[in-house]
């Protein structure tokens, strides 16, 4: 089985790569590439993302044909894709970080700034926070409710259809921190920085 981590120059993805390699060992071949043919031939894709919504969307758009290849993978071939942090946020129709920016439109919704209640809550939201698992998501198999995950973000994905939300975390309000819709999985937190529980989530994705 081939799991591809999409490399589109969106920040340092070494911890994502290392975590997937650690978990995969003999189960899957992990490849880091922006090569369209390799991406299309993958069994599963990981879409990381660091920085702003706009910078990540711009970086994806800079690689000719990448958007189409990802679209085909997700919507036509219905193969599993895991979005991490801004990788998840880009599933939305639109994001409002820096300026209004069109997302990939895979899950209807928007990405907007966390309501920090006039400065009562610090942004970015950085550090460990508990997650409240709302539905029996495939990537949460044998993951305990209220597990702690590692976050770094100021914006949140607000899906139109609330049934896609698989977990929330409390930070000022209930912030969406994980979604699942058919073959699409996304985490706002960083599983690759979330210790053994994060590795369990990565393992569950590889084992899908």
């Amino acid at each position: 089985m081939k799991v591809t981590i999409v490399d589109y120059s969106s920040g340092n993805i070494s911890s994502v790569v290392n975590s997937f390699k650690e978990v995969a060992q003999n189960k899957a071949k992990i490849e880091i590439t922006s090569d369209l043919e390799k991406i299309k031939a993958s069994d599963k894709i990981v879409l990381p993302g660091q920085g702003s919504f706009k910078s990540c969307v711009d970086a994806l758009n800079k690689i000719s044909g990448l958007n189409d290849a990802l679209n085909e993978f997700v919507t036509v071939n219905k193969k599993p894709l895991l979005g991490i942090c801004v990788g998840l946020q880009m599933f939305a129709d639109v994001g409002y970080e820096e300026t209004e920016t069109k997302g990939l439109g895979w899950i209807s919704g928007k990405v907007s700034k966390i309501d920090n209640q006039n400065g009562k809550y610090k942004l970015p939201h950085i550090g460990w926070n508990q997650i409240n698992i709302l539905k029996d998501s495939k990537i949460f198999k044998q993951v305990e409710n209220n597990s702690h995950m590692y976050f770094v973000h100021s914006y949140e994905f607000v899906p139109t259809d609330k049934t896609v939300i698989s977990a929330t975390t409390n930070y000022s309000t209930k912030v969406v921190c994980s979604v699942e819709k058919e073959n699409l999985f996304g985490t706002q937190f960083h599983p690759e920085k979330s210790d053994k529980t994060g590795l369990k989530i990565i393992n569950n994705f590889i084992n899908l």
Side-chain angles (χ1 to χ4, degrees), residues 81-83 87-93 104-107 179 184-186:
L81 181 142
L82 172 67
L88 151 68
Q89 293 181 2
M90 289 192 295
F91 291 2
D93 299 313
L104 294 163
W106 293 335
I107 297 180
V179 300
L184 273 175
F185 304 86

Side-chain angles (χ1 to χ4, degrees), residues 10 13 49 74 89 112 143 154 161 169:
S10 78
I13 60 168
V74 167
Q89 293 181 2
S112 50
V143 171
S154 300
D161 175 9
T169 192

Side-chain angles (χ1 to χ4, degrees), residues 99-120:
T99 178
E100 187 176 316
T101 306
K102 193 169 177 275
L104 294 163
W106 293 335
I107 297 180
S108 183
K110 64 181 180 181
V111 175
S112 50
K113 198 167 197 172
I114 295 170
D115 175 12
N116 70 346
Q117 298 180 26
N118 294 322
K120 192 176 161 191

Side-chain angles (χ1 to χ4, degrees), residues 192-206:
E192 79 283 4
K193 293 176 181 171
S194 297
D195 210 34
K196 286 179 183 165
T197 314
L199 292 179
K200 181 81 206 152
I201 288 169
I202 290 170
N203 189 50
N204 286 338
F205 179 71
I206 287 173

Side-chain angles (χ1 to χ4, degrees), residues 28-86:
K29 181 175 180 250
I30 307 294
E31 184 151 23
I32 307 96
T33 185
S34 57
D35 183 292
L36 300 186
E37 295 313 313
K38 287 179 178 174
I39 286 167
K40 286 176 186 174
S42 309
D43 298 298
K44 296 186 177 91
I45 280 179
V46 181
L47 183 64
Q50 282 186 332
S52 73
F53 185 93
K54 183 180 185 301
S55 68
C56 285
V57 169
D58 287 350
L60 267 189
N61 289 335
K62 264 184 196 156
I63 299 170
S64 181
L66 181 55
N67 261 355
D68 291 340
L70 291 173
N71 252 324
E72 187 183 315
F73 189 92
V74 167
T75 58
V76 180
N77 299 326
K78 298 274 183 192
K79 292 187 198 174
L81 181 142
L82 172 67
I84 298 173
C85 198
V86 186

